[in-house]
Amino acid sequence: MHHTIKLIFRACFAAVIFTVTAALLLTCFSKAYEIAQAQQNFAQAKKTHLQSTAQEQLVLLSNNQKPDQAVYVAIAQNGYIAKAACQHYPEICLDEYNQQQTRQVQNIDLIKAGNFHYIQNVQYTDSRTQRSQRLSYTPEQIQQFYLQDVADLKYVVFGIGLFALASLFVSFRILRNFKKFLNK
């Protein structure tokens, strides 16, 4: 009985290791492909214009605290539509607005290039002060934001690649001596 439980545990442990290896390799390849297609993705970027309605009030939600520094374009109390890096929008990511839904968007233009979202134009009103603000970013600025995000993605792929190689090494060692691994 004890030997059977140990055998089942080891088989499940090996299956988990193989699954994690496959997931790391798949992630590494898909992100590397995204980096390779960066210029094409930016050339085929889609622009979306959104306006708040009585049924769906759009808000700007930001968080400049680690670990998730981001700007969200959200439907009030109902989830977000787009997420952009806070580093590109220092005038939006302010301490006073951290995780508060007080900036009500009248209209916004979003650009989606690959898996990244960018705010091109936004007009919003702060519900606390009733102050209206309009921000615009040039296509050159958006392209610089995108190139910076792709450059940051290269470091992420490098880190994932190291873990994938280590996991691949462990998987080959297990496969090479699978019977010994199960009965150890």
Side-chain angles (χ1 to χ4, degrees):
M1 177 79 171
H2 174 69
H3 183 69
T4 305
I5 293 173
K6 186 173 148 184
L7 184 69
I8 291 171
F9 174 77
R10 291 257 184 191
C12 290
F13 188 58
V16 167
I17 290 172
F18 298 148
T19 304
V20 168
T21 300
L24 285 170
L25 288 171
L26 183 64
T27 302
C28 195
F29 288 131
S30 69
K31 294 299 177 186
Y33 180 76
E34 186 175 339
I35 291 169
Q37 297 293 320
Q39 292 299 326
Q40 183 179 353
N41 286 343
F42 189 75
Q44 297 174 348
K46 292 182 172 61
K47 186 175 180 179
T48 307
H49 178 77
L50 299 172
Q51 287 184 318
S52 288
T53 63
Q55 294 83 15
E56 291 183 340
Q57 177 64 47
L58 299 175
V59 294
L60 277 180
L61 180 63
S62 63
N63 182 20
N64 65 358
Q65 304 297 318
K66 290 185 179 180
D68 190 26
Q69 298 172 319
V71 175
Y72 298 93
V73 178
I75 300 172
Q77 307 296 328
N78 203 17
Y80 71 92
I81 298 170
K83 176 182 175 183
C86 214
Q87 65 187 354
H88 306 311
Y89 305 101
E91 55 279 334
I92 295 175
C93 288
L94 301 171
D95 286 336
E96 65 186 283
Y97 292 112
N98 270 351
Q99 300 176 1
Q100 294 188 20
Q101 298 187 13
T102 59
R103 293 175 288 184
Q104 299 171 342
V105 175
Q106 279 77 43
N107 55 56
I108 188 167
D109 292 323
L110 296 172
I111 294 179
K112 183 177 190 288
N115 289 328
F116 300 104
H117 287 91
Y118 302 98
I119 298 170
Q120 187 172 31
N121 299 306
V122 64
Q123 182 178 357
Y124 65 88
T125 303
D126 185 346
S127 62
R128 293 182 297 184
T129 63
Q130 299 305 316
R131 189 179 73 144
S132 185
Q133 188 165 2
R134 181 177 187 85
L135 300 171
S136 293
Y137 300 92
T138 65
E140 291 79 23
Q141 286 176 305
I142 303 267
Q143 186 175 18
Q144 286 302 316
F145 296 163
Y146 181 69
L147 293 175
Q148 185 177 2
D149 286 341
V150 169
D152 292 345
L153 187 59
K154 290 177 184 176
Y155 295 113
V156 171
V157 169
F158 179 73
I160 292 172
L162 290 177
F163 280 110
L165 288 175
S167 181
L168 198 57
F169 175 75
V170 170
S171 294
F172 281 130
R173 293 281 309 243
I174 290 172
L175 283 174
R176 194 172 71 190
N177 298 319
F178 193 67
K179 282 188 178 183
K180 186 177 178 183
F181 176 78
L182 288 178
N183 296 319
K184 195 173 189 181

